[in-house]
Amino acid sequence: MNKVLAEIIAGVIPHKMTRNRWRGLLRYGVFKALRLKRRMKHDHTPPRYYLAVCAIAKNEGPYFAEWIEWHRKQGVEKFYIYDNESTDCTKEVLKPYVESGLVEYTYFPGRKRQLAAYDDCFERHRLETRWLAIIDLDEFIVPIKDRSIPEFLHRMEQYPVVEINWLVYGSSGAKTREPGGVMERFRRHSLPTHQLNTHVKSIVDPRRVCGMIGCHEAARLCGKAVDSHGVQIKKHFGDRKPQQDVIRINHYAIKSYEEFLSKRARGRARTNSLRGMEYFKSYDLNDIEE
């Protein structure tokens, strides 16, 4: 009911950013959000981690080790992984990370479960981490001007949400999956100003955010969202110029053609539709080689 009401009410708000924020607050529940805001104002429980990551995945087993190790080196201390009915090697790959305490694994079956996974993560782990990054397994956060992600975030602590732009990587002409990691195999990316790179992912203070609006933006309880330069956001991400000079998210949406077909067969996290071949063509951007 909250979701239906949110769409009806938010739909009459003309300003896109305001509309999206209210969509998130209404989906969560306005009175519930007000209670949460009051509770967070008085709860001074020290977070156990400075930076954690939340992700939902299905049959991403072969990619987990590289993704976890990259982000651990960049300063991530905890991973909340939601497994959406994987039938591959996901559990086996994650087992040593779970045993070490680096990963908290949650089996999360069902269809269109992405936002539900994020909701669960916020409710269960809100007080555990100072910052929570909401990203996917094909996304790698890359600090450019800082030695780590936490070093970047230390400058952003007055804000509840930081939005970071994509840099989309294409297939580099690869037809089949070859040995090596994703970041090693795919070295060609889109022009930085490409429209797809206006998309963002959010790193949030979970005490000042009730949840996610979709997979890109967060529903703030208070404060202002900023871009990677620390400038207050006044336009929807689709209407802003992409920024990749301070920090960025390398987005390996398709990888090789063979890997894209496997991804397509897995389905999508938020909808029941499959990605069409036009998706591969639109993301196969190989304009610049690193």
Side-chain angles (χ1 to χ4, degrees):
M1 182 60 70
N2 280 351
K3 182 177 180 181
V4 174
L5 183 63
E7 292 301 319
I8 293 173
I9 296 177
V12 302
I13 300 174
H15 185 252
K16 192 181 296 185
M17 281 186 62
T18 305
R19 179 170 69 245
N20 281 354
R21 186 185 181 195
W22 273 102
R23 179 179 286 120
L25 289 170
L26 289 164
R27 191 178 71 85
Y28 185 78
V30 174
F31 293 111
K32 185 180 175 183
L34 289 172
R35 289 194 299 270
L36 176 63
K37 183 177 179 180
R38 285 196 297 269
R39 180 164 67 89
M40 291 299 99
K41 184 177 180 180
H42 299 290
D43 194 321
H44 303 295
T45 304
R48 184 175 180 182
Y49 312 108
Y50 187 74
L51 174 61
V53 164
C54 174
I56 183 170
K58 181 173 184 176
N59 290 340
E60 297 275 9
Y63 305 106
F64 261 113
E66 179 189 11
W67 182 82
I68 288 173
E69 293 298 338
W70 169 265
H71 287 102
R72 179 158 68 169
K73 289 176 182 177
Q74 305 307 318
V76 175
E77 299 170 87
K78 187 73 174 183
F79 296 83
Y80 303 114
I81 303 300
Y82 288 77
D83 179 0
N84 186 217
E85 300 182 334
S86 293
T87 57
D88 66 353
C89 59
T90 289
K91 290 188 74 173
E92 290 75 17
V93 172
L94 290 179
K95 184 178 179 181
Y97 296 113
V98 173
E99 291 176 346
S100 72
L102 183 64
V103 166
E104 179 164 324
Y105 171 91
T106 302
Y107 185 68
F108 211 69
R111 305 189 73 176
K112 298 195 294 184
R113 297 286 277 161
Q114 186 172 27
L115 289 184
Y118 297 157
D119 290 344
D120 184 79
C121 189
F122 277 102
E123 294 307 307
R124 292 173 58 192
H125 306 297
R126 191 181 300 281
L127 299 178
E128 289 183 2
T129 184
R130 175 63 180 80
W131 291 101
L132 184 64
I134 311 296
I135 59 174
D136 296 326
L137 266 289
D138 58 5
E139 296 171 330
F140 291 70
I141 305 174
V142 181
I144 305 299
K145 290 193 173 181
D146 297 284
R147 291 170 295 180
S148 67
I149 305 168
E151 187 174 287
F152 163 76
L153 290 172
H154 283 309
R155 299 195 299 274
M156 305 293 173
E157 291 194 343
Q158 69 189 94
Y159 307 111
V161 179
V162 183
E163 293 185 359
I164 302 173
N165 284 105
W166 280 352
L167 184 63
V168 171
Y169 281 70
S171 70
S172 293
K175 301 300 182 184
T176 60
R177 181 177 180 179
E178 302 294 337
V182 170
M183 299 184 84
E184 172 191 353
R185 290 188 290 133
F186 304 104
R187 308 285 295 179
R188 302 188 71 93
H189 61 71
S190 56
L191 295 172
T193 55
H194 192 281
Q195 181 63 27
L196 280 176
N197 293 326
T198 63
H199 285 79
V200 297
K201 284 300 179 78
S202 295
I203 304 180
V204 310
D205 176 353
R207 300 181 188 221
R208 291 185 282 175
V209 164
C210 60
M212 297 300 292
I213 299 165
C215 60
H216 301 286
E217 301 167 286
R220 293 170 283 115
L221 294 169
C222 60
K224 304 296 183 181
V226 295
D227 60 24
S228 61
H229 290 176
V231 176
Q232 180 183 337
I233 291 168
K234 297 182 178 180
K235 295 180 180 180
H236 183 259
F237 63 78
D239 300 320
R240 305 196 306 262
K241 182 179 178 181
Q243 300 172 344
Q244 296 109 355
D245 57 327
V246 176
I247 192 170
R248 73 189 194 212
I249 292 180
N250 287 10
H251 186 31
Y252 302 92
I254 56 170
K255 304 180 183 72
S256 67
Y257 182 70
E258 178 184 31
E259 288 164 289
F260 167 72
L261 293 180
S262 295
K263 177 177 182 174
R264 181 177 185 270
R266 291 196 299 267
R268 310 186 75 162
R270 289 189 60 205
T271 70
N272 291 327
S273 62
L274 294 177
R275 294 175 176 87
M277 293 312 301
E278 68 278 0
Y279 182 95
F280 182 88
K281 294 176 183 177
S282 64
Y283 278 83
D284 192 18
L285 303 171
N286 305 283
D287 302 284
I288 300 173
E289 184 171 5
E290 291 182 338

